[in-house]
Amino acid sequence: MAFSSKSGGSSSPMSEINVTPLVDVMLVLLIIFMITAPLLTHRIRIDLPQPNRNVQPPLNPPEPIKLQIRADGSIFWNSLPVTISELKAQLAVTAVKNPQPELQINASPNVEYQNVAVVLADAKRAGLEKIGFENIDQGGG
Protein backbone atom coordinates (compact mmCIF):
# COMPACT_ATOMS: atom_id res chain seq x y z
CA MET A 1 0.00 0.00 0.00
CA ALA A 2 1.53 3.27 -1.11
CA PHE A 3 0.72 6.73 0.09
CA SER A 4 -0.13 9.37 -2.40
CA SER A 5 0.48 13.10 -2.32
CA LYS A 6 -2.51 13.72 -4.56
CA SER A 7 -5.98 12.52 -3.97
CA GLY A 8 -6.67 12.17 -7.64
CA GLY A 9 -5.98 8.49 -8.18
CA SER A 10 -2.26 8.62 -8.93
CA SER A 11 -0.48 5.77 -7.21
CA SER A 12 2.99 7.34 -6.90
CA PRO A 13 4.56 7.22 -3.40
CA MET A 14 4.82 10.38 -1.29
CA SER A 15 8.36 11.73 -1.33
CA GLU A 16 8.20 14.45 1.40
CA ILE A 17 9.43 13.80 4.93
CA ASN A 18 7.09 14.62 7.80
CA VAL A 19 9.14 17.25 9.73
CA THR A 20 6.55 18.09 12.41
CA PRO A 21 7.89 15.59 15.00
CA LEU A 22 11.43 16.74 14.27
CA VAL A 23 10.46 20.38 14.83
CA ASP A 24 8.66 19.47 18.07
CA VAL A 25 11.74 17.68 19.43
CA MET A 26 14.02 20.55 18.42
CA LEU A 27 11.77 23.11 20.15
CA VAL A 28 11.70 21.05 23.33
CA LEU A 29 15.50 20.75 23.29
CA LEU A 30 15.84 24.48 22.66
CA ILE A 31 13.64 25.27 25.66
CA ILE A 32 15.59 22.84 27.86
CA PHE A 33 18.90 24.42 26.87
CA MET A 34 17.52 27.93 27.37
CA ILE A 35 16.53 27.02 30.93
CA THR A 36 19.63 25.06 31.94
CA ALA A 37 22.36 27.14 30.28
CA PRO A 38 22.09 30.10 32.70
CA LEU A 39 22.22 27.68 35.63
CA LEU A 40 25.52 26.28 34.40
CA THR A 41 27.13 29.71 34.18
CA HIS A 42 25.83 30.99 37.52
CA ARG A 43 28.34 30.34 40.28
CA ILE A 44 27.58 30.05 43.95
CA ARG A 45 30.43 31.18 46.15
CA ILE A 46 31.09 28.89 49.08
CA ASP A 47 33.78 29.76 51.58
CA LEU A 48 35.17 26.47 52.80
CA PRO A 49 37.30 26.39 55.92
CA GLN A 50 41.02 26.37 55.23
CA PRO A 51 43.45 24.46 57.41
CA ASN A 52 45.63 26.68 59.54
CA ARG A 53 49.00 25.01 59.69
CA ASN A 54 50.50 27.60 62.06
CA VAL A 55 48.29 26.66 65.02
CA GLN A 56 49.73 23.96 67.20
CA PRO A 57 47.39 21.70 69.17
CA PRO A 58 47.71 22.07 72.94
CA LEU A 59 50.28 19.76 74.47
CA ASN A 60 48.08 18.92 77.44
CA PRO A 61 44.44 19.02 76.34
CA PRO A 62 42.02 19.65 79.20
CA GLU A 63 40.07 16.79 80.70
CA PRO A 64 36.63 16.43 79.13
CA ILE A 65 33.63 17.24 81.27
CA LYS A 66 31.25 14.33 81.74
CA LEU A 67 27.65 15.49 81.92
CA GLN A 68 25.10 12.80 82.70
CA ILE A 69 21.35 13.27 82.29
CA ARG A 70 19.34 10.56 83.98
CA ALA A 71 15.84 9.36 83.19
CA ASP A 72 14.31 11.29 86.12
CA GLY A 73 15.79 14.54 84.74
CA SER A 74 18.62 14.84 87.26
CA ILE A 75 21.91 16.19 85.92
CA PHE A 76 25.38 15.17 87.08
CA TRP A 77 28.53 17.21 86.36
CA ASN A 78 31.53 14.85 86.64
CA SER A 79 29.46 12.55 88.90
CA LEU A 80 28.29 15.44 91.14
CA PRO A 81 24.59 16.37 91.10
CA VAL A 82 23.83 19.91 89.91
CA THR A 83 20.70 22.00 89.42
CA ILE A 84 19.91 23.86 86.22
CA SER A 85 21.12 27.18 87.65
CA GLU A 86 24.38 25.59 88.86
CA LEU A 87 24.78 23.97 85.44
CA LYS A 88 24.41 27.32 83.68
CA ALA A 89 27.05 28.89 85.96
CA GLN A 90 29.50 26.03 85.41
CA LEU A 91 28.94 26.12 81.67
CA ALA A 92 29.69 29.85 81.62
CA VAL A 93 32.93 29.32 83.57
CA THR A 94 33.94 26.44 81.29
CA ALA A 95 33.26 28.44 78.13
CA VAL A 96 35.88 31.09 78.97
CA LYS A 97 38.68 28.59 79.60
CA ASN A 98 41.46 28.43 77.05
CA PRO A 99 41.70 25.75 75.67
CA GLN A 100 38.06 24.90 76.07
CA PRO A 101 37.35 21.38 77.37
CA GLU A 102 34.93 19.11 75.58
CA LEU A 103 31.49 18.62 77.09
CA GLN A 104 30.57 14.94 76.80
CA ILE A 105 26.87 14.36 77.33
CA ASN A 106 25.63 10.95 78.38
CA ALA A 107 21.83 10.79 78.37
CA SER A 108 19.80 7.89 79.67
CA PRO A 109 17.70 6.13 77.01
CA ASN A 110 14.55 6.93 78.99
CA VAL A 111 15.20 10.65 79.49
CA GLU A 112 12.70 13.09 78.02
CA TYR A 113 14.03 14.89 74.98
CA GLN A 114 13.10 18.24 76.52
CA ASN A 115 15.71 17.75 79.27
CA VAL A 116 18.46 17.07 76.74
CA ALA A 117 17.36 20.00 74.57
CA VAL A 118 17.51 22.39 77.54
CA VAL A 119 21.05 21.27 78.42
CA LEU A 120 22.20 21.60 74.79
CA ALA A 121 20.65 25.05 74.50
CA ASP A 122 22.29 26.19 77.74
CA ALA A 123 25.68 24.90 76.58
CA LYS A 124 25.36 26.66 73.24
CA ARG A 125 24.19 29.87 74.91
CA ALA A 126 27.17 29.76 77.29
CA GLY A 127 29.53 29.60 74.29
CA LEU A 128 30.77 26.02 74.40
CA GLU A 129 32.02 24.87 71.01
CA LYS A 130 33.06 21.29 71.74
CA ILE A 131 29.98 19.26 72.59
CA GLY A 132 29.79 15.52 72.07
CA PHE A 133 27.67 12.55 73.03
CA GLU A 134 28.99 9.49 74.80
CA ASN A 135 27.61 6.00 74.43
CA ILE A 136 24.15 5.79 75.89
CA ASP A 137 24.11 4.48 79.42
CA GLN A 138 22.32 1.13 79.28
CA GLY A 139 22.62 0.55 83.01
CA GLY A 140 19.51 2.51 83.92
CA GLY A 141 19.53 5.75 85.78
Side-chain angles (χ1 to χ4, degrees):
M1 179 160 118
F3 294 102
S4 172
S5 62
K6 299 178 186 172
S7 61
S10 171
S11 64
S12 64
M14 186 168 119
S15 63
E16 294 101 23
I17 297 174
N18 188 2
V19 294
T20 305
L22 178 65
V23 171
D24 290 345
V25 169
M26 296 304 285
L27 288 174
V28 168
L29 288 174
L30 178 67
I31 291 171
I32 290 172
F33 287 130
M34 286 173 52
I35 292 172
T36 58
L39 296 176
L40 296 175
T41 60
H42 180 72
R43 292 185 180 165
I44 298 173
R45 181 163 173 79
I46 299 174
D47 294 325
L48 297 175
Q50 300 297 321
N52 190 351
R53 304 200 191 285
N54 298 335
V55 176
Q56 298 294 327
L59 296 176
N60 297 325
E63 284 291 318
I65 297 165
K66 309 250 184 219
L67 189 70
Q68 184 180 20
I69 307 172
R70 295 196 177 162
D72 60 357
S74 58
I75 301 171
F76 290 82
W77 181 281
N78 287 335
S79 302
L80 300 173
V82 293
T83 63
I84 291 290
S85 59
E86 293 171 343
L87 175 68
K88 289 180 183 180
Q90 288 181 333
L91 289 172
V93 168
T94 303
V96 297
K97 290 183 179 178
N98 191 12
Q100 197 178 79
E102 180 182 355
L103 180 66
Q104 295 178 349
I105 299 175
N106 182 349
S108 171
N110 301 328
V111 70
E112 291 184 18
Y113 176 73
Q114 179 67 31
N115 296 338
V116 178
V118 166
V119 170
L120 286 173
D122 289 341
K124 183 70 174 169
R125 215 173 292 124
L128 285 173
E129 297 175 355
K130 300 176 184 177
I131 302 172
F133 288 93
E134 284 188 335
N135 293 333
I136 295 178
D137 179 19
Q138 298 295 334

